């Protein structure tokens, strides 16, 4: 089994990290591990698999995140995901939405470490690619010292290959999913302690990491860092990941070069009937502190949504951007 490099990843984000977003991110960093949006086992098993699971070959390494709590269904969904070519299967034990709680999966599984361990064991038995878990440090009244240990020890004993920890609790009653990403306080030290207690298990920290410099600081304590909102809302940050984290050259020196390289992909998608906006909606934060960034955004927002909008809309939007933004300036 090929072992994964966990040093830097972009978080799974519903409605955000779809296949077009991931192709865009891959043009900015060749090395980050990318995650899909969460897909439920029911959707994988009974839904339109090509639409839900299809992805572009350029996205590797890419992990499929599953939501579910039935070991047999998770094993089946993991097997299907592996068949599609995903490099890792991840189980969501962190999402706090009501819809997810009713399905008895996501963050509420923090209260059921034995069930989560059985889920992981079933997934491990079904696939050869790494199986990982993304969890919180606890929920509601749980003591994170106890709750995180219980989840971590259970899944590791079941064969879990790495653990991603969003370093705050989820409060399941009273907070919206969005509030649950901001209000419960971050506790990075709790995740560092988990790493010290489990030196042989890759531990990846997530939550509130604003940029690449801060990610590097976390790497002094844990094996990997996962960025969510900072990566999506300010994708220009990803241009410096390969050099700063992996000591390698980025695939493209500038955002403009990345867009140019992405044109054939966009053209092929348009030819298949994908609307331009479905792709360019992920580009909103592409330029930062560069003259013309606002005109770029406005052009895409106004012209990109029109029926039949084609590549020229993106080209015209890019033409508004004055200076070329080098990766170093972006860091
Ligand atoms: C729009 C959005 C959708 C999200 N969807 C998922 C999801 O499908 N699965 C998951 O495990 N976490 C999801 N998350 C949580 C992120 O993966 C991440 O844990 C959280 O945003 C904290 O990291 P950050 O502070 O770097 O953004 C989502 C977050 C956002 C902002």
């Amino acid at each position: 089994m090929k072992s994964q490099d966990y040093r830097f990843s972009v978080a799974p984000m519903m409605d955000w990290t779809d296949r077009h977003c991931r192709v865009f991110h891959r043009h900015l960093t060749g090395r980050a591990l990318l995650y899909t949006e969460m897909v439920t086992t029911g959707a994988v098993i009974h839904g339109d698999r090509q639409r839900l699971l299809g992805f572009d070959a350029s996205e590797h390494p890419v992990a499929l995140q599953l939501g579910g709590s039935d070991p047999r269904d998770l094993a089946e969904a993991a097997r299907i995901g592996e068949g599609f070519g995903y490099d890792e299967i991840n189980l969501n034990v962190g999402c706090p939405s009501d819809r997810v709680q009713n399905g008895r999966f996501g963050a509420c599984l923090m209260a059921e470490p034995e069930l989560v361990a059985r889920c992981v064991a079933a997934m491990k038995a079904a696939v050869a690619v790494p199986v990982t878990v993304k969890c919180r440090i606890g929920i509601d009244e749980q003591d994170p010292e106890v709750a995180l240990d219980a989840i971590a020890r259970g899944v590791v004993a079941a064969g879990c290959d790495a653990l991603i920890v969003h370093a705050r609790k989820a409060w399941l009653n009273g907070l919206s999913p969005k509030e649950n990403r901001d209000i419960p306080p971050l506790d990075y030290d709790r995740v560092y302690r988990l790493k010290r207690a489990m030196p042989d298990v890759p531990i990846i920290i997530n939550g509130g990491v604003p940029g690449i410099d801060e990610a590097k600081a976390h790497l002094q304590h844990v094996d990997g860092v996962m960025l969510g909102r900072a990566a999506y809302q300010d994708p220009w940050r990803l241009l410096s990941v390969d050099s700063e984290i992996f000591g390698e050259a980025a695939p493209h020196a500038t955002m403009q070069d990345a867009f140019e390289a992405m044109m054939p992909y966009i053209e092929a998608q348009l030819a298949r009937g994908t609307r331009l906006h479905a792709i360019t909606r992920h580009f909103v934060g592409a330029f930062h502190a560069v003259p013309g960034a606002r005109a770029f955004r406005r052009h895409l927002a106004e012209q990109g949504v029109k029926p039949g909008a084609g590549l020229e809309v993106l080209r015209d939007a890019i033409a508004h951007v004055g200076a070329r933004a080098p990766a170093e300036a972006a860091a």
Side-chain angles (χ1 to χ4, degrees):
M1 186 179 76
K2 182 169 70 72
S3 88
Q4 209 82 271
D5 191 330
Y6 292 105
R7 274 178 283 176
F8 188 91
S9 52
V10 179
M13 288 177 281
M14 291 286 265
D15 195 43
W16 287 9
T17 53
D18 65 11
R19 52 185 298 174
H20 306 310
C21 172
R22 298 190 306 261
V23 168
F24 172 43
H25 287 174
R26 182 56 73 219
H27 277 86
L28 307 177
T29 158
R31 294 298 305 274
L33 175 57
L34 304 179
Y35 282 78
T36 67
E37 306 164 269
M38 180 185 75
V39 192
T40 64
T41 52
V44 173
I45 294 169
H46 306 294
D48 175 351
R49 287 183 195 163
Q50 203 51 49
R51 186 179 64 76
L52 290 162
L53 300 180
F55 66 92
D56 191 77
S58 67
E59 293 174 36
H60 289 293
V62 58
L64 170 65
Q65 188 188 57
L66 293 176
S69 61
D70 180 276
R72 278 178 49 190
D73 287 353
L74 279 165
E76 172 73 8
R79 200 177 297 118
I80 294 167
E82 183 182 47
F84 266 75
Y86 284 97
D87 300 290
E88 171 185 323
I89 310 292
N90 175 266
L91 177 63
N92 182 334
V93 185
C95 179
S97 87
D98 286 348
R99 193 170 62 82
V100 166
Q101 281 182 63
N102 292 337
R104 192 166 166 237
F105 56 88
C108 61
L109 288 176
M110 290 295 298
E112 300 191 70
E114 282 154 27
L115 174 59
V116 177
R118 276 193 285 125
C119 290
V120 169
M123 294 162 77
K124 281 294 289 182
V127 298
V129 293
V131 172
T132 62
V133 168
K134 178 168 180 278
C135 67
R136 298 268 182 153
I137 59 173
I139 51 171
D140 299 330
E141 301 306 318
Q142 282 184 329
D143 176 353
E145 298 307 320
V146 179
L148 184 58
D149 265 1
I151 281 285
R153 295 204 181 285
V155 299
V156 167
C160 178
D161 293 282
L163 201 63
I164 304 153
V165 187
H166 183 174
R168 54 162 61 90
K169 278 184 166 182
W171 293 337
L172 298 183
N173 287 317
L175 291 191
S176 70
K178 185 169 184 304
E179 289 169 326
N180 256 314
R181 293 194 284 267
D182 285 317
I183 294 178
L186 286 161
D187 186 353
Y188 294 136
D189 282 338
R190 177 66 192 95
V191 185
Y192 298 166
R193 280 199 297 283
L194 178 71
K195 176 63 207 172
R196 288 199 294 273
M198 297 189 143
D200 300 332
V201 182
I203 303 290
I204 296 98
I205 201 163
N206 166 247
V209 183
I212 308 308
D213 286 346
E214 294 82 357
K216 282 171 79 174
H218 282 297
L219 288 176
Q220 304 295 317
H221 305 276
V222 287
D223 304 281
V225 182
M226 172 181 270
L227 259 69
R229 289 162 290 186
Y232 184 85
Q233 290 164 345
D234 296 309
W236 50 271
R237 294 181 194 282
L238 297 177
L239 275 172
S240 59
V241 164
D242 289 7
S243 58
E244 290 292 317
I245 308 264
F246 296 94
E248 291 180 10
H252 303 288
T254 68
M255 190 58 83
Q256 283 92 332
D257 292 346
F259 280 140
E260 199 51 50
M262 215 181 145
M263 294 292 177
Y265 171 84
I266 301 174
E267 202 163 20
Q269 285 292 323
L270 294 175
R272 291 171 53 178
T274 304
R275 293 185 53 197
L276 182 72
H277 180 67
I279 304 170
T280 56
R281 71 189 183 100
H282 302 299
F283 301 167
V284 171
F287 295 101
H288 169 75
V290 180
R294 184 186 300 231
F296 168 84
R297 283 198 302 273
R298 195 171 49 227
H299 193 85
L300 282 186
E302 289 171 0
Q303 306 300 322
V305 293
K306 293 190 173 162
L311 271 188
E312 70 289 349
V313 172
L314 178 57
R315 288 198 190 283
D316 290 347
I318 296 169
H320 284 291
V321 182
R324 291 171 71 78
E328 307 84 68

